Amino acid sequence: MNPATGYDVLIINALVVNFEPEAEPVRNAFVAVRNGIIAAIGPMDELPPVPAAETIDAAGCLVIPGLINTHVHAPMTCFRGLADDLPLMTWLQEHIFPTEAAHAGPDMAYWGAKLACAEMLLSGTTCFVDSYFHEADVARSVSETGIRAMLAQGVVDFPAPGVPDPARNIDHVREYLDEWLGRSPLVLPVVFCHSPYTCSPETLRKGKELAREKEVPFLIHLAETAAEVGQITSERGLTPARYLDSLGLLDEETICVHCVHLDQGEIELLAKRGAAVSICLESNMKLASGLPPLPAMIKGGLRLSLGTDGAASNNDLNLFGEIKAAAMLYKAAGLDPTAVPADEALFLAGPGGASVLGLGGVTGSLVPGFRADLCVLDCAAPHLMPLYNPRSHLVYAASGREIKHVLVDGRILVRDGRLLTIDLDETMARVREIAAKIK
């Protein structure tokens, strides 16, 4: 539609809920979208007489920002349920790494990522960060879906899927960045060095130097287990966060994932350097890695966000589970019902995630001028009745299965619970074929 004459999408009769605690819900409201951008939001009695190419009646629904999942291993949907109820290192070294060596090829990357996008879109995620191998194939798959993503090519110092010679690991990332930088407005290629225990100091420095050269974020698993802390401290004489700092890796473009075992000094160090954090509570619980010190991180002023981790260790990619876990776990652990309020947990999945990814002002909130990444959530279900506090309901009662419509960059990707850009039957059939080979 001509931007001078009308809207591309107009959502009417909605309850508009942002995730900032101070933002008041707008009742009986409209959201107007033009050229991929939120053009206007307001009460229905202020709706301008402007035509729309498509109108969505959201009566009885919430309109919310699309969720932001800041840590996923998308192709690992093909490993869902493969090796459960194991310690992290046993799970990783005896099951995941060997299975990846045998089966993690371009087909698995492409179709596993497609299945991951389907799962995330259907549960309200509109932006995610992937970290895996064969990332060019992941990027090809993800770009076809219309979802917003940062896609990180993995780096380790041993033969990996698609990178049989570890001496070329950084060269391989460079080639991937050169291929995908600027290719899609919704897909940003980035760098992922797996961890301080799988990458040498030289590899870590080179990975960060490449990220700085290309002006893209740098991702790394950090302090996920007590065993990792003990190993790095023994080998390097420093705890993992201090070790990364000694290598010059910590800055505003570094995203540290997990951060379960940080002491207060390390929290202060990350905050001082401006490094961001993605916590993955359900994965950490399942692998018995522990709980990150979220209340102390919040108090310390860190940029914080939520990730699901991969489907092999969670075992789903539904961010609503992470939001609820963030709000509930610390209440039980500290016997304090105010430890992480619902508003704080919800913030992590929207504006918090946008800030961590450097997308503040782009996505994560329903504000005129932001990109139109949003969801319509149907409240017509017994578990959502009655509705007193919408944000509290989203944290403690919603599951993600109530998502009805999803827009990314103003484009409708889910309508009435049905994917429009992904052939789900074909995708699941291809993943079943891959799983049969793995089994």
Side-chain angles (χ1 to χ4, degrees):
M1 177 167 285
N2 187 325
T5 60
Y7 300 128
D8 300 316
V9 180
L10 179 63
I11 302 171
I12 59 173
N13 302 319
L15 174 55
V16 177
V17 181
N18 267 309
F19 293 170
E20 293 87 353
E22 68 279 6
E24 289 293 327
V26 184
R27 300 180 183 277
N28 193 29
F30 72 91
V31 179
V33 177
R34 180 190 291 137
N35 291 339
I37 294 172
I38 297 173
I41 297 176
M44 287 296 296
D45 57 11
E46 296 179 7
L47 176 63
V50 175
E54 179 156 1
T55 298
I56 295 173
D57 189 346
C61 298
L62 305 183
V63 175
I64 63 173
L67 307 183
I68 299 174
N69 185 342
T70 57
H71 189 63
V72 182
H73 305 297
M76 294 181 81
T77 53
C78 296
F79 296 162
R80 193 193 315 265
L82 181 67
D84 289 337
D85 303 327
L86 295 168
L88 173 64
M89 288 306 174
T90 303
W91 173 81
L92 196 60
Q93 295 175 356
E94 296 182 20
H95 296 271
I96 298 302
F97 284 162
T99 307
E100 284 178 336
H103 298 287
D107 265 6
M108 182 188 132
Y110 179 90
W111 289 109
K114 189 70 64 100
L115 183 63
C117 290
E119 182 180 354
M120 287 187 281
L121 284 169
L122 289 171
S123 56
T125 290
T126 57
C127 177
F128 77 101
V129 181
D130 187 54
S131 302
Y132 205 63
F133 307 103
H134 289 292
E135 207 64 17
D137 296 289
V138 173
R140 183 167 56 89
S141 175
V142 169
S143 65
E144 293 169 1
T145 71
I147 198 169
R148 192 181 302 277
M150 286 186 179
L151 307 177
Q153 171 64 33
V155 176
V156 292
D157 278 332
F158 51 83
V163 193
D165 180 6
R168 291 204 67 249
N169 53 15
I170 300 299
D171 292 337
H172 188 81
V173 182
R174 180 182 292 277
E175 292 165 3
Y176 162 65
L177 295 178
D178 288 343
E179 178 184 359
W180 276 92
L181 272 172
R183 184 166 168 176
S184 166
L186 295 177
V187 172
L188 178 67
V190 299
V191 181
F192 169 57
C193 284
H194 178 269
S195 67
Y197 59 87
T198 55
C199 295
S200 67
E202 180 183 17
T203 296
L204 293 171
R205 287 194 189 97
K206 287 183 176 179
K208 183 59 178 176
E209 288 169 3
L210 177 59
R212 284 184 174 131
E213 176 192 335
K214 299 295 186 178
E215 299 181 335
V216 299
F218 172 86
L219 284 68
I220 187 166
H221 290 145
L222 179 66
E224 184 174 2
T225 66
E228 175 193 335
V229 175
Q231 177 183 341
I232 298 303
T233 302
S234 174
E235 294 176 356
R236 307 299 178 186
L238 295 166
T239 58
R242 293 181 178 92
Y243 170 55
L244 295 191
D245 190 52
S246 74
L247 299 177
L249 269 59
L250 298 181
D251 60 26
E252 293 181 354
E253 295 299 320
T254 294
I255 302 172
C256 302
V257 180
H258 295 300
C259 295
V260 175
H261 297 277
L262 297 183
D263 61 37
Q264 184 60 36
E266 289 173 304
I267 292 173
E268 293 170 2
L269 175 62
L270 292 178
K272 180 179 179 180
R273 299 290 186 247
V277 172
S278 172
I279 62 171
C280 306
L281 295 169
E282 291 187 320
S283 176
N284 294 154
M285 284 192 288
K286 182 164 178 274
L287 293 169
S289 299
L291 292 178
L294 179 57
M297 290 175 171
I298 294 170
K299 187 176 180 180
L302 284 175
R303 285 185 296 139
L304 298 166
S305 62
L306 298 176
T308 56
D309 212 350
S313 66
N314 185 315
N315 294 19
D316 64 52
L317 307 181
N318 185 338
L319 205 63
F320 276 92
E322 303 296 330
I323 296 169
K324 188 171 185 177
M328 297 281 277
L329 284 172
Y330 297 92
K331 292 173 170 57
L335 302 180
D336 178 4
T338 68
V340 179
D343 279 355
E344 190 70 56
L346 199 58
F347 180 86
L348 300 179
S355 174
V356 163
L357 303 186
L359 294 175
V362 175
T363 189
S365 294
L366 301 178
V367 178
F370 278 47
R371 306 306 299 183
D373 298 351
L374 57 86
C375 304
V376 178
L377 185 147
D378 191 352
C379 291
H383 65 283
L384 294 178
M385 294 287 177
L387 178 62
Y388 297 119
N389 184 329
R391 280 197 289 264
S392 176
H393 248 31
L394 287 168
V395 174
Y396 296 124
S399 67
R401 295 178 181 87
E402 309 87 353
I403 297 298
K404 190 173 183 180
H405 311 295
V406 177
L407 279 68
V408 177
D409 218 46
R411 181 185 181 191
I412 300 175
L413 303 186
V414 176
R415 181 187 283 116
D416 292 317
R418 185 173 62 87
L419 293 159
L420 301 186
T421 60
I422 299 172
D423 185 330
L424 189 55
D425 289 338
E426 179 188 18
T427 300
M428 293 195 295
R430 294 301 186 98
V431 170
R432 278 194 290 268
E433 291 172 3
I434 293 166
K437 295 175 183 177
I438 292 172
K439 185 176 181 180

